[in-house]
Amino acid sequence: MVYRIGVDTLGSESPSRLIVQGVLEFARTNSACEILCIGRTHDLAPVRSNGLAVIECEKAINQHDSLVEILRSESSSSLHVGLNLLAEREIDAFVSTGNTAALMALGRHTLPMLPGWIRPAIIKRFESKKSPFWILDLGANIARKRNLLLQFAYLGTAYAKSMHLTSKPRVAVLNIGAEAHKGPVVLRRVAVELSRQRHFDFVGFIEADLLFDGIADVVVTDGFSGNIMLKSLEGAAKITHHYIREALDKAALSNHELAESIARNVNSRLNSQSYNGASLIGLDGVVIKSHGHADNVGIEAALKLARDEVQAAIPKRLKMHFQELAGTTLT
C-alpha cells in the first residue's frame, strides 16, 4: 500500500533547503510513501528533479501572523492548500513547520472533529527509562479548563491504545507536587474525577522532574504549561550536549575513540531533531506539527511519524477508542 504525505515547505524558521533535504533523505528509504511538496518553484527544484510531486505555492503564513489575519486571508497559503488536500483525501497525512496557532485554527476550519471532542490537542512521544510515554497538550490550548483536561486524559489514553502501547494506560496529571492537596483547584478537581473512571489506571499527580522515571504512559497538562515544559526539555538537552563536549575537550579526550563513541551516542539521544514532530489529534486526519527550527534530520523524523500514524490508521482507531472511553459526553 502506498501512503501519500503532503509537506508544507513554507512558513518555517529554517531555510527551505533543509526541509527539501529532509524530504529527499526520507524518500530514499521509504519507497512506499509518495511525497507531495507544497512551496515555491525555485525552492523545490531538487524535489522535482528527484521525481517527487510538487504543488507550486508562493504564499506562506509566517510565524507572526495573527489569527484574525489568517482566518480572513484567501485560501491560497501553503497551509490552506495542504489541509484542503487532506480534507479531500488527496493525501493521507500533512506535515508542516508553520505557525502552530494557524495550523490548529485552519485545521479545525477544514477538517471534521472527532465526535464529542471539543478542541484538538498536540501530543508527543518521549522515551522514559523504561518505556515510551506521551504528553498532551503541548501548545494547542493555553487555557487550563476542567473539561479540556478531562478530555486530554481520554484522548491521550485513546492514542496510547491506538499505538498498541497497553490495553490500560497509566495516566498522570502534571502538577507542582505529587500530593493530592497540591496545585490549582482545577487540577485537584480533575484528579478526583479521573480517579473515579475505570478505563485507565490513574496514578495521580506527577512532577516534571519525574517524567522520565516510567511512572505514567500518558501525562496530561494544559497547553501553556506543556509548551513551557517542552521548551525547557529542549534547552536542557542543548546545554547537556554543550557540557559533554566541553568535558571531552578539557580532558583531552576529543580524539579518544571510546569517549567519542559514547559522546556521539548520548548526544544523538539528546538531539531534539531526531524525535521532532508532534501530532495534532482530535481532527479527522493525520496532521503533524514539526518544530519551526527543524533541520533535515528533524523533517525526516516528522515524516516518519506521519508514516507511522497512517500505517496505524490513527484517526480511525482514535474514533473507536475515544467513543469506547468517553461513553457519555464529557462536560
Side-chain angles (χ1 to χ4, degrees):
M1 183 176 179
V2 175
Y3 305 117
R4 300 158 299 172
I5 304 175
V7 183
D8 173 15
T9 67
L10 303 179
S12 173
E13 296 175 270
S14 298
S16 295
R17 61 179 175 78
L18 292 180
I19 299 175
V20 167
Q21 184 181 344
V23 167
L24 293 176
E25 289 169 1
F26 175 82
R28 289 188 191 105
T29 56
N30 290 271
S31 57
C33 295
E34 290 182 356
I35 308 299
L36 189 158
C37 288
I38 305 162
R40 299 187 177 103
T41 305
H42 62 279
D43 292 330
L44 300 181
V47 172
R48 196 191 299 273
S49 65
N50 277 271
L52 302 185
V54 168
I55 289 184
E56 296 178 4
C57 179
E58 296 295 319
K59 186 175 180 181
I61 292 175
N62 66 49
Q63 298 287 338
H64 308 292
D65 285 345
S66 73
L67 281 180
V68 173
E69 293 172 330
I70 292 164
L71 292 172
R72 286 179 178 173
S73 64
E74 56 181 309
S75 57
S76 58
S77 72
S78 55
L79 267 183
H80 283 95
V81 171
L83 288 168
N84 281 326
L85 287 170
L86 186 59
E88 294 163 5
R89 301 296 188 253
E90 294 295 321
I91 54 177
D92 300 305
F94 178 55
V95 176
S96 177
T97 60
N99 183 313
T100 302
L103 184 61
M104 191 186 88
L106 291 176
R108 289 184 67 196
H109 180 73
T110 309
L111 297 165
M113 297 284 293
L114 288 177
W117 184 237
I118 302 171
R119 292 172 68 85
I122 295 176
I123 190 169
K124 184 174 178 63
R125 172 178 167 147
F126 295 87
E127 293 291 335
S128 75
K129 296 174 183 176
K130 302 174 182 178
S131 59
F133 68 101
W134 284 268
I135 304 179
L136 76 164
D137 179 28
L138 293 177
N141 307 277
I142 63 172
R144 183 186 292 149
K145 295 182 178 180
R146 168 187 159 276
N147 59 344
L148 281 178
L149 293 170
L150 290 172
Q151 288 212 348
F152 292 162
Y154 277 72
L155 192 57
T157 297
Y159 188 90
K161 287 167 70 72
S162 298
M163 296 300 282
H164 309 294
L165 174 67
T166 175
S167 60
K168 196 170 185 180
R170 297 164 299 161
V171 176
V173 174
L174 186 65
N175 199 359
I176 59 172
E179 300 87 348
H181 65 277
K182 290 287 185 72
V185 172
V186 64
L187 293 188
R188 285 181 269 147
R189 289 176 176 168
V190 165
V192 169
E193 294 191 51
L194 292 179
S195 68
R196 294 171 178 162
Q197 59 68 52
R198 66 183 188 282
H199 301 293
F200 49 79
D201 181 13
F202 181 61
V203 297
F205 293 135
I206 187 171
E207 296 180 71
D209 62 330
L210 299 178
L211 287 172
F212 295 92
D213 282 7
I215 295 170
D217 303 309
V218 175
V219 177
V220 173
T221 186
D222 61 271
F224 181 82
S225 302
N227 194 263
I228 289 176
M229 180 216 65
L230 178 62
K231 300 295 173 57
S232 298
L233 289 176
E234 291 173 351
K238 288 178 183 177
I239 193 64
T240 301
H241 176 98
H242 169 78
Y243 286 153
I244 291 171
R245 177 52 52 194
E246 187 178 60
L248 286 175
D249 291 342
K250 285 183 178 180
L253 291 172
S254 294
N255 295 317
H256 190 281
E257 186 175 342
L258 178 59
E260 276 295 315
S261 175
I262 293 172
R264 281 195 302 271
N265 180 271
V266 173
N267 288 333
S268 174
R269 298 185 72 176
L270 290 174
N271 182 8
S272 61
Q273 296 289 348
S274 64
Y275 54 88
N276 174 55
S279 308
L280 187 61
I281 56 173
L283 299 171
D284 191 8
V286 174
V287 179
I288 304 300
K289 173 66 179 79
S290 166
H291 199 295
H293 289 289
D295 60 14
N296 56 301
V297 175
I299 294 300
E300 188 173 7
L303 284 165
K304 287 177 180 177
L305 176 59
R307 176 203 63 198
D308 292 346
E309 288 203 4
V310 173
Q311 287 177 338
I314 287 298
K316 181 180 178 180
R317 289 181 178 274
L318 278 177
K319 283 183 190 177
M320 178 183 70
H321 288 305
F322 185 73
Q323 286 166 358
E324 289 175 357
L325 293 166
T328 57
T329 304
L330 297 174
T331 58

